[in-house]
Amino acid sequence: MNIDDIKIKPIVTEEDFEEASQIIEALVDADMIEDEAQRTKALNILEAITVLAIDYEKKHYPMPPLDPIEAIKQRMEMLNLNQKDVARYFGGENRVSEVLNKKRQLTLNMVKKLHKHFGIPAEVLLA
């Protein structure tokens, strides 16, 4: 793909999106281009088209809201933590089990602790 032939344009159709995806795939290693001017041009094009593609995806393929309990379980899995490891953020081992099994609601205090210690967005935990 010749960098000089690439045209940046709005992505309004699925065909435009597919074309943008192909350009992104072709330029994903643009930082490896030896010629500095060509590398800079390729990286600028990559950034612009990526922004347009992300915007199109957000409008046409919205992500469903993440379930708070699933978010907690995912973070625990990512950090290789078990219920005993996180019990103090829930108020004890029984309480963490109840929350993770959806038998008890998250409290505001739990939300604050989980957000602070695990970086789970508060808006996800409050959903």
Side-chain angles (χ1 to χ4, degrees):
M1 180 174 292
N2 185 352
I3 295 170
D4 295 322
D5 293 338
I6 298 173
K7 303 286 187 244
I8 299 172
K9 61 181 184 179
I11 300 173
V12 294
T13 66
E14 191 65 28
E15 186 177 297
D16 294 338
F17 181 71
E18 287 301 318
E19 185 179 325
S21 297
Q22 290 172 1
I23 294 169
I24 290 169
E25 191 172 312
L27 296 179
V28 76
D29 293 324
D31 59 334
M32 306 293 276
I33 298 172
E34 289 186 26
D35 180 84
E36 187 175 342
Q38 287 294 310
R39 180 176 58 244
T40 300
K41 185 173 186 177
L43 289 171
N44 288 340
I45 291 169
L46 177 61
E47 182 175 359
I49 291 180
T50 300
V51 168
L52 293 169
I54 289 170
D55 186 57
Y56 182 86
E57 279 184 327
K58 284 180 182 177
K59 290 178 184 171
H60 295 87
Y61 303 104
M63 295 283 292
L66 187 59
D67 177 72
I69 303 307
E70 290 307 312
I72 295 166
K73 289 178 179 179
Q74 285 178 7
R75 188 57 51 98
M76 288 172 61
E77 187 176 322
M78 284 173 49
L79 299 173
N80 201 26
L81 300 172
N82 60 37
Q83 288 186 16
K84 193 172 187 177
D85 297 327
V86 299
R88 66 180 170 190
Y89 306 112
F90 289 85
E93 289 182 45
N94 288 341
R95 188 139 313 142
V96 69
S97 179
E98 292 171 347
V99 170
L100 294 180
N101 288 311
K102 298 185 179 183
K103 293 180 180 176
R104 180 184 288 266
Q105 298 257 340
L106 285 167
T107 65
L108 189 54
N109 192 34
M110 290 176 196
V111 169
K112 288 177 183 179
K113 288 178 181 178
L114 292 167
H115 172 68
K116 179 180 179 185
H117 296 282
F118 298 108
I120 302 171
E123 54 271 10
V124 169
L125 295 169
L126 294 170

